[in-house]
């Protein structure tokens, strides 16, 4: 898929103007360039990058429709999905792109600089070490199991904040196995946006949650515990 086809795909739903197309183009140039030196994505073909990374990230916009945010964090953003893509579209939202791997953050900083994105902050840290209640949106794609994401994400959100978990076709089952975690973390499921990915790439379930009250202080636990004993 080309960038023009991407624009046509979202016609009537998202405003993707010349500015955004130009920024996406430059972003993919950099991704291709850096990908030759370090492994940022297994996707090598440009058209496939548009579909698997840009389009998929933009589908998150549909799940967030009608909601206003002033600050957002993308947890385990890797090369910037969905965070960098959403930051390009949501110019008035302050985005924190978080990743534990330094090399990925170097790439993200290079993109931020080249694209002059004033609303992006790159953070090289682990989610479980961040300050609490600081963001009103958290997103994550291909990050972890749902209970683990909820435990790491909920404390970061201010009360009333939203968390968007980008899941695959088994998202519904994951939701069912996270009921206890949701209750314990004071987070409720708000909506599910079901999308079929083009090119027979299966289904994307975008699960949206809202934090209804303060996260109990014992969360997040140490990472080894979160992993060994999910809520
Ligand atoms: N969201 C991207 C990357 C997914 S790979 C995409 O969809 O393409 C998961 C990423 O999470 C990796 O880049 C890894 O470095 C990062 N990560 C893993 N554990 C983390 C943690 N505890 N805190 C922050 N980042 C983490």
């Amino acid at each position: 898929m080309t960038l023009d086809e991407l624009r046509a795909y979202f016609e009537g739903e998202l405003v993707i103007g010349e500015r955004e197309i130009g920024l996406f183009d430059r972003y993919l140039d950099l991704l291709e360039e850096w990908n030759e030196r370090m492994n940022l994505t297994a996707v090598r073909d440009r058209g496939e990058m548009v579909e698997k990374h840009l389009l998929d990230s933009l589908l998150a916009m549909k799940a967030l429709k009608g909601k206003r945010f002033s600050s957002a964090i993308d947890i385990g953003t890797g090369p910037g999905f969905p965070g960098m893509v959403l930051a390009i579209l949501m110019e008035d939202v302050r985005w924190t792109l978080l990743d534990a791997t330094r090399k990925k953050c170097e790439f993200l900083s290079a993109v931020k600089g080249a694209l002059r994105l004033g609303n992006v902050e790159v953070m090289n840290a682990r989610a479980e070490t961040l300050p609490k209640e600081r963001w009103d949106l958290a997103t994550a794609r291909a990050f972890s199991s749902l209970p683990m994401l909820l435990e790491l994400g909920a404390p970061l959100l201010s009360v009333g904040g939203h968390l968007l978990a980008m899941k695959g076709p088994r998202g519904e089952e994951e939701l069912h196995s996270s009921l206890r975690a949701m209750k314990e973390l004071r987070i409720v499921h708000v909506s599910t946006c079901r999308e079929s990915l083009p090119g027979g790439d299966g289904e994307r379930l975008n699960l949206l949650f809202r934090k209804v009250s303060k996260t109990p202080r014992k969360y997040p636990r140490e990472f080894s515990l979160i992993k060994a004993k999910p809520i």
Side-chain angles (χ1 to χ4, degrees), residues 53 76-79 81-82 98-101 104 125-128 141-143 152 223:
H53 293 322
T77 191
F81 306 117
L98 175 77
D99 204 280
T101 308
K104 293 188 181 164
R126 298 191 61 88
E128 58 275 24
R141 181 183 85 160
F143 178 67
L152 290 171
F223 192 74

Side-chain angles (χ1 to χ4, degrees), residues 18-207:
E18 288 306 317
R19 169 191 171 272
E20 287 75 24
I21 293 291
L23 293 177
F24 288 154
D25 203 30
R26 184 85 187 90
Y27 181 19
L28 293 188
D29 282 346
L30 289 165
L31 185 55
E32 279 186 317
E33 201 182 304
W34 282 63
N35 216 25
E36 281 169 23
R37 285 181 276 135
M38 67 172 78
N39 187 22
L40 287 167
T41 171
V43 179
R44 306 266 152 192
D45 176 73
R46 181 103 174 185
E48 229 179 293
M49 282 182 178
V50 173
E51 267 179 48
K52 295 217 161 91
H53 293 322
L54 301 186
L55 185 148
D56 190 19
S57 296
L58 288 172
L59 286 173
M61 295 286 289
K62 288 209 216 170
L64 302 172
K65 208 173 171 177
K67 303 211 159 41
R68 308 266 311 151
F69 308 99
S70 56
S71 58
I73 180 165
D74 190 30
I75 303 173
T77 191
F81 306 117
M84 187 72 83
V85 181
L86 297 180
I88 288 173
L89 246 78
M90 303 163 125
E91 269 186 287
D92 53 353
V93 177
R94 277 176 289 113
W95 275 88
T96 303
L97 305 186
L98 175 77
D99 204 280
T101 308
R102 190 173 45 86
K103 290 264 173 210
K104 293 188 181 164
C105 290
E106 282 169 13
F107 168 70
L108 295 167
S109 296
V111 174
K112 172 190 154 73
L115 273 55
R116 297 172 190 270
L117 297 171
N119 63 328
V120 167
E121 186 193 346
V122 177
M123 202 182 263
N124 181 204
R126 298 191 61 88
E128 58 275 24
T129 65
L130 294 193
K132 312 281 185 290
E133 313 231 333
R134 184 118 355 143
W135 290 272
D136 51 27
L137 172 67
T139 55
R141 181 183 85 160
F143 178 67
S144 68
S145 70
L146 192 53
M148 194 192 266
L149 170 60
L150 295 177
E151 180 166 353
L152 290 171
L156 306 179
L157 295 172
S158 44
V159 173
H162 287 80
L163 186 146
L164 180 73
M166 299 177 67
K167 290 291 179 181
R170 297 172 65 92
E172 206 80 64
E173 288 159 53
E174 282 204 62
L175 188 60
H176 283 294
S177 56
S178 302
L179 294 177
R180 197 164 57 165
M182 286 159 59
K183 200 166 170 214
E184 181 69 15
L185 295 159
R186 322 292 196 257
I187 212 161
V188 295
H189 174 233
V190 176
S191 62
T192 299
C193 241
R194 196 180 285 269
E195 310 281 355
S196 57
L197 298 168
D201 270 339
E203 259 193 330
R204 164 73 63 216
L205 257 69
N206 284 326
L207 306 174

